[in-house]
Amino acid sequence: MNILTKWLRSYLPELPVDDRQLAEDLTLRGIAVEGEFDAACGGRLYEMDITTNRVDAMNHYGVAREAAAIYNVALKPLDAGAAVMETKPGEGFPVRIEAKDLCGRFTARVIRGVTVGASSGLIAEYFAALGQKQISAPVDVTNFGWMAMGQPTHVFDLDKIVGGIVVRRARAGEKLMLLDGTEKTLAAEDLVVADEEKALGLAGVMGGWDSRVTEGTKNILVEAAWFDQAAIRASSRRHGLHTDASHRFERGADFNAAPIGNNLVTRLVVEQSGGEVVGPLVDVVVPEIAAKTAERKAISLKVSEVRRHLGATVDGLGVGEDVVARYLSALGCEMTQTGVGEYAVKLPSWRLDLEREIDLIEEVARVYGYNRFADTLPSFAGAVVELPHVEQEATIRETLRALGFTEAVSSTFVSAEEAEEFGGGGVAIGNPLSAEAGMLRPSLAPGMATMLALNLHRDVSSVRLFEMGTVFGGSTIEVKERVGLALGATGGAVATALYKAEDALFYEVKGAIEALLAKFVGAVTFEVGELPAWIAEGRGARVLLAGEAVGVFGELSAAELQARKLRQPCVIASMDGQRLFEAVLRQPVSRELSRFQAVERDFSFVFPDAVTWAVIDAALHGVGAGLERDELRSVRPVEIFRDAKGKAVAAGSYSMLLRVVFQSNERTLTEEEIARWTEWVVAELTGLGGTQRV
């Protein structure tokens, strides 16, 4: 919002700093000045970014209150001279609150004999400087009121009101034309300000067209009220409206500001448009709402706790009791001493964000200035206790980074479609930010797919990512959390003699999974069973560790690629990180290097497709033909070949070139030993159904 320093200084006649210093000091206290410009009325125009919890500072008087606390100067009372006495006796205007849970306070006052014209004086001057559109004096005065003190108000043409004011819920299907000329069909949950016959305005959002003030208006009813923030937010969103009034009511208005705002507007209407104030101010209060807002229970505050939390200051003096009392009093708190260094603090009605002792301590720190505290570490007398899975977690991260994967973080929320597609359903969020983020993620896979897409759409063609984070299951009644792990890769894969270019990415990710799971106790195997729909048919597998499923991986299906507008294959693995956290890590074992020469032998065999590498590897790592267990050093495939036409290698089979390494730690191997072991390898591979190629 925009703030004029000339207007601020009207509340702070003793302000000791210039506008530039004021902007810097406010920003350091969390009331951020994003930009400064020369104002047409004199002084500066601040463009301010006020956080949503500080609705009390979304006006000139609220910002002036902050400055008064910072500089310890007097703040002129907002209602000084604003109280309006009736100039003509009369009865108060009838007001009835039917929706007592949604409207806690309603004030009304009658002005008769006005002449509606253009605004003049300070209102016209300030509006010109702020770029605020002028409509007519009575309407401009209501806008001036919320910019001055934050309290939204409204003026009705009194002669258009039948009977009295009734604050009620709307009747389902009730029609109301608003000030912007649009007609709305109201829901039963909407709150309206009405008369005895019809709705006059959508409470806290926008007034109605039929009761608006025009040039022909002679009599006015001034209204200022307090409305429930949740009800106003719901109505505002339901009807697609966001106004200056709803912006403030949605965030929690000041319960005690309504009569002050009404007095201010009434006085200014009379100054601008003439007329007489007839009858007293009507102020209808719902005690139950007042108890929850303006009359909240006092908070106990200990100065010792303030000093303990905030620590040492740069000047070495610390935050004293006088400083605590002065700052909190300047912010509107009523301090009652209950003991030595102890206070009962009654909270101001305009600070609904303050609820606990720690909130008050934060206010002291904020106004004092975080930059004035010394950089010290908190004291700690205990010992660091590692989580039981810290080694597994570190191993996963270190291994994947070493394999060339970069850790990334995706959103915790996914759409309902993604939750169903990647996890078979998820946990719905009660108040989602959008339909695309309406569920807690049941898997890290959709987030990984999104991150791969973001990179590809920004011309990063080769990506290797992993993420470890929480995934959610269960229901809204009982949400269950587990640790998930996801790997993602696209582009940059290199073909080798073991696989073709179109398969390189798939086998690269498969190899990364094998390298990762090799850190844990248990055999790593893969199954080509039923896979989720997001994996392309025939291009994925289930991952097992010690016979237990720990995840799936595969290429994204054509439907997923099309939905994400991807033009190259992407391979994603979705793993159960919780299961890996519970698994036992292998312990590194060092082995003495042999001084004797190693011997390599290659074997070329044709195997049926049913013979997997796991079967071959297990068969050759047995002990046979007089081999000592450590003399067979390694067995690895060097080349795999398939013939789609079935000429060189029959269909349903594949050719594999195996390289076996023999070596002893005690002697040089003889030709007789090598020959015997070679025969044993051929026999083992033949026994598996293989045929040796010569």
Side-chain angles (χ1 to χ4, degrees):
M1 66 172 298
N2 293 334
I3 294 290
L4 295 172
T5 60
K6 181 178 179 180
W7 198 342
L8 285 180
R9 290 180 182 276
S10 69
Y11 302 127
L12 299 165
E14 301 174 5
L15 192 63
V17 297
D18 61 21
D19 291 344
R20 184 170 298 279
Q21 185 63 49
L22 174 62
E24 181 177 339
D25 290 340
L26 286 172
T27 302
L28 286 173
R29 270 74 177 183
I31 310 297
V33 178
E34 298 289 333
E36 289 184 65
F37 307 93
D38 289 329
C41 63
R44 304 283 282 174
L45 172 70
Y46 290 164
E47 284 188 354
M48 307 198 71
D49 181 17
I50 309 297
T51 55
T52 56
N53 67 316
R54 291 302 308 277
V55 65
D56 64 290
M58 294 179 184
N59 56 82
H60 285 77
Y61 196 77
V63 176
R65 185 190 296 116
E66 291 287 320
I70 295 170
Y71 302 115
N72 192 26
V73 296
L75 176 68
K76 290 178 63 175
L78 182 64
D79 58 346
V84 179
M85 299 299 293
E86 56 185 296
T87 55
K88 192 173 183 179
E91 295 182 0
F93 195 80
V95 173
R96 184 171 76 254
I97 300 177
E98 292 184 355
K100 295 183 182 296
D101 56 330
L102 303 183
C103 177
R105 191 168 199 169
F106 197 97
T107 66
R109 200 153 204 185
V110 173
I111 308 174
R112 292 188 179 275
V114 301
T115 302
V116 176
S119 302
S120 60
L122 279 179
I123 294 178
E125 181 183 353
Y126 287 166
F127 276 29
L130 290 166
Q132 175 74 27
K133 180 182 178 182
Q134 292 181 238
I135 301 172
S136 66
V139 176
D140 294 343
V141 163
T142 62
N143 289 328
F144 183 89
W146 69 255
M147 285 189 282
M149 59 171 293
Q151 171 63 42
T153 57
H154 188 67
V155 286
F156 297 93
D157 187 324
L158 182 64
D159 298 325
K160 304 291 181 62
I161 300 175
V162 179
I165 290 292
V166 182
V167 187
R168 59 171 172 81
R169 284 179 168 83
R171 304 181 184 97
E174 187 173 8
K175 304 289 186 180
L176 174 63
M177 181 173 286
L178 298 176
L179 286 173
D180 62 359
T182 61
E183 186 178 67
K184 300 295 183 182
T185 300
L186 304 180
E189 295 80 14
D190 289 324
L191 182 67
V192 295
V193 177
D195 60 17
E196 299 295 345
E197 293 183 352
K198 60 188 178 302
L200 302 174
L202 189 57
V205 181
M206 188 180 291
W209 179 269
D210 294 335
S211 60
R212 74 192 189 281
V213 171
T214 66
E215 291 182 356
T217 297
K218 298 301 180 185
N219 304 306
I220 284 176
L221 180 71
V222 179
E223 167 251 306
W226 183 97
F227 300 118
D228 178 73
Q229 59 195 91
I232 303 307
R233 184 184 301 114
S235 286
S236 178
R237 292 187 178 181
R238 187 179 299 117
H239 298 291
L241 297 170
H242 184 81
T243 63
D244 293 317
S246 68
H247 187 82
R248 283 149 183 81
F249 280 123
E250 286 178 17
R251 287 155 178 78
D254 178 3
F255 190 87
N256 287 340
I260 300 173
N262 196 307
N263 275 330
L264 176 62
V265 169
T266 300
R267 177 172 61 83
L268 292 175
V269 168
V270 172
E271 288 180 2
Q272 293 282 324
S273 303
E276 295 180 316
V277 179
V278 179
L281 174 72
V282 175
D283 186 5
V284 181
V285 175
V286 178
E288 294 79 8
I289 303 296
K292 297 177 182 178
T293 54
E295 299 171 8
R296 289 173 292 166
K297 185 179 179 181
I299 296 176
S300 177
L301 175 68
K302 295 181 179 179
V303 176
S304 60
E305 282 297 291
V306 177
R307 297 176 69 91
R308 184 179 73 83
H309 280 285
L310 302 185
T313 56
V314 173
D315 59 13
L317 300 177
V319 178
E321 184 172 346
D322 59 332
V323 173
V324 173
R326 186 176 81 237
Y327 285 161
L328 293 180
S329 297
L331 293 173
C333 298
E334 296 180 16
M335 311 282 289
T336 302
Q337 192 160 9
T338 57
V340 179
E342 297 184 9
Y343 292 88
V345 182
K346 188 177 187 310
L347 302 172
S349 57
W350 56 83
R351 290 298 301 273
L352 297 181
D353 58 314
L354 302 180
E355 297 178 346
R356 303 169 297 165
E357 181 184 47
I358 194 63
D359 296 331
L360 298 176
I361 295 173
E362 183 180 5
E363 285 299 288
V364 173
R366 184 180 64 82
V367 180
Y368 185 83
Y370 291 114
N371 56 316
R372 297 172 63 190
F373 288 97
D375 295 330
T376 56
L377 292 173
S379 59
F380 180 62
V384 175
V385 178
E386 289 186 339
L387 294 174
H389 56 258
V390 65
E391 290 187 19
Q392 288 87 339
E393 183 175 356
T395 298
I396 292 171
R397 283 196 164 93
E398 291 170 3
T399 302
L400 291 176
R401 287 170 184 157
L403 290 168
F405 287 77
T406 300
E407 186 168 8
V409 179
S410 66
S411 173
T412 308
F413 310 119
V414 296
S415 66
E417 293 77 12
E418 287 178 321
E420 183 65 33
E421 180 77 10
F422 287 88
V427 181
I429 302 171
N431 187 23
L433 297 174
S434 66
E436 290 73 27
M439 309 284 285
L440 291 174
R441 62 187 181 190
S443 163
L444 297 182
M448 181 58 66
T450 299
M451 290 190 290
L452 292 179
L454 286 172
N455 278 276
L456 290 175
H457 294 158
R458 286 158 178 79
D459 298 325
V460 181
S461 59
S462 179
V463 186
R464 302 292 184 273
L465 299 175
F466 80 93
E467 179 180 9
M468 189 158 43
T470 305
V471 295
F472 304 87
S475 66
T476 53
I477 299 174
E478 183 182 3
V479 179
K480 298 179 180 179
E481 298 183 7
R482 288 183 68 82
V483 177
L485 173 66
L487 282 69
T490 185
V494 179
T496 70
L498 294 176
Y499 35 72
K500 297 177 290 184
E502 57 266 31
D503 298 328
L505 185 66
F506 177 90
Y507 284 108
E508 179 186 332
V509 176
K510 178 176 180 287
I513 294 171
E514 290 177 309
L516 173 62
L517 297 186
K519 302 290 184 178
F520 298 89
V521 173
V524 181
T525 54
F526 298 87
E527 288 183 350
V528 189
E530 184 178 350
L531 296 173
W534 58 268
I535 295 179
E537 186 175 356
R539 305 295 289 175
R542 292 190 175 277
V543 185
L544 291 84
L545 177 63
E548 182 180 346
V550 293
V552 296
F553 83 102
E555 289 185 4
L556 284 179
S557 66
E560 281 295 322
L561 292 175
Q562 183 177 3
R564 299 175 188 277
K565 299 180 180 179
L566 301 177
R567 298 182 179 180
Q568 66 185 51
C570 296
V571 176
I572 291 178
S574 178
M575 311 285 289
D576 186 351
Q578 194 74 39
R579 169 67 179 84
L580 298 184
F581 279 7
E582 296 165 359
V584 179
L585 285 169
R586 294 184 186 274
Q587 297 303 313
V589 176
S590 62
R591 184 170 62 180
E592 182 182 356
L593 295 175
S594 175
R595 295 178 297 151
F596 302 98
Q597 183 177 359
V599 178
E600 292 182 352
R601 289 292 184 268
D602 289 347
F603 301 87
S604 182
F605 269 79
V606 175
F607 294 103
D609 285 345
V611 180
T612 64
W613 169 250
V615 174
I616 297 171
D617 187 50
L620 295 186
H621 275 92
V623 178
L627 271 170
E628 295 294 335
R629 185 171 296 273
D630 64 347
E631 290 175 346
L632 180 63
R633 290 298 168 90
S634 70
V635 179
R636 64 185 181 89
V638 177
E639 183 178 323
I640 297 175
F641 174 72
R642 296 178 186 273
D643 186 359
K645 296 181 180 180
K647 295 181 179 180
V649 178
S653 301
Y654 64 94
S655 173
M656 176 183 288
L657 177 64
L658 287 170
R659 180 159 295 159
V660 181
V661 177
F662 304 103
Q663 188 178 34
S664 173
N665 285 336
E666 300 174 353
R667 66 190 187 283
T668 299
L669 299 177
T670 65
E671 287 294 334
E672 292 78 8
E673 288 175 317
I674 299 300
R676 185 171 69 252
W677 294 342
T678 298
E679 292 175 1
W680 172 76
V681 169
V682 171
E684 288 292 320
L685 296 179
T686 303
L688 294 177
T691 302
Q692 188 174 18
R693 302 184 69 182
V694 294

